[in-house]
Amino acid sequence: ERPRLCLFLLDTYVAFVIVMVGNYLFPIYVDRVLAASSDVFGQGEVVFALGAMCAALLIPRLATHHGADRTIVVTMGLFLVGLTMLGLFAATPLYFAALLLLGFGNAGSRVARSAVVLTLVPVNVMGRVQMFFSAFDRLLRTILTFGATLIVARHSASLGFAGLAAILLIAFVSMLASRSSIRAAAPEARSNLA
């Protein structure tokens, strides 16, 4: 019924899917690219969680003051920066900085996206919408994991992250282009997003 809103929500799902694919790439990246111990991997998981906890504390305020759609743009932008760092640089401090951004960006965009869905999707179709997004998640996750496996086998985890960053950049641009669907929502729904 509302294809631009559907596209916006699908684009915002890509960061979450990339985190799932990243769960395959992170240990390989630490071992082969950073040539670091499992301690670095474990510390990275803690840093990612800290980023997510910061998002849990800050995102409700940001969404209240600036709107959920703007919050999604900012958090996905931060996620894209973190992912790009993993593709371009091979240094442990930058790995930690990237994971902080990934944790914040993923959690933040998920919380803000949930606010958009709960506000703009009618209750009578909520189950069908969630099933559609779940199917999209599984399909995209399978395709990207397969692609990442091929890239790591032939090249490196850095190139895998660079490829994921390119995919997220496409989703980010598409999200920006379809963002007007949020602005076109009914006035009462828009006021609930702010």
Side-chain angles (χ1 to χ4, degrees):
E1 223 176 89
R2 291 157 63 178
R4 289 176 64 83
L5 176 61
C6 182
L7 181 61
F8 176 85
L9 294 173
L10 286 175
D11 291 332
T12 62
Y13 242 93
V14 174
F16 171 70
V17 173
I18 286 176
V19 168
M20 296 294 108
V21 177
N23 288 336
Y24 163 72
L25 289 174
F26 290 134
I28 298 168
Y29 182 86
V30 169
D31 182 52
R32 295 186 192 167
V33 176
L34 297 179
S37 69
S38 59
D39 291 344
V40 170
F41 175 74
Q43 292 164 359
E45 293 291 301
V46 171
V47 170
F48 184 92
L50 288 173
M53 289 188 324
C54 288
L57 295 172
L58 296 174
I59 293 305
R61 282 194 180 138
L62 289 173
T64 299
H65 293 297
H66 302 289
D69 60 319
R70 288 186 183 131
T71 303
I72 291 171
V73 170
V74 169
T75 54
M76 279 192 64
L78 290 173
F79 190 92
L80 181 59
V81 169
L83 203 56
T84 304
M85 288 170 64
L86 291 174
L88 295 178
F89 306 110
T92 302
L94 292 177
Y95 171 71
F96 291 143
L99 286 181
L100 187 68
L101 292 174
L102 292 177
F104 186 89
N106 175 54
S109 63
R110 287 187 73 191
V111 169
R113 180 184 63 243
S114 294
V116 170
V117 168
L118 291 172
T119 304
L120 297 181
V121 175
V123 175
N124 62 330
V125 296
M126 184 71 71
R128 286 177 274 174
V129 168
Q130 293 296 354
M131 288 299 296
F132 173 75
F133 287 135
S134 180
F136 172 77
D137 166 31
R138 299 294 189 275
L139 178 64
L140 187 59
R141 190 185 317 181
T142 301
I143 292 168
L144 292 180
T145 303
F146 180 73
T149 304
L150 290 177
I151 290 172
V152 167
R154 295 182 182 170
H155 302 286
S156 74
S158 292
L159 188 59
F161 281 119
L164 292 175
I167 290 167
L168 186 64
L169 179 61
I170 293 167
F172 187 77
V173 170
S174 175
M175 178 200 61
L176 290 176
S178 60
R179 187 172 155 210
S180 63
S181 62
I182 303 298
R183 300 283 173 207
E188 64 276 1
R190 272 203 321 269
S191 65
N192 290 337
L193 286 174

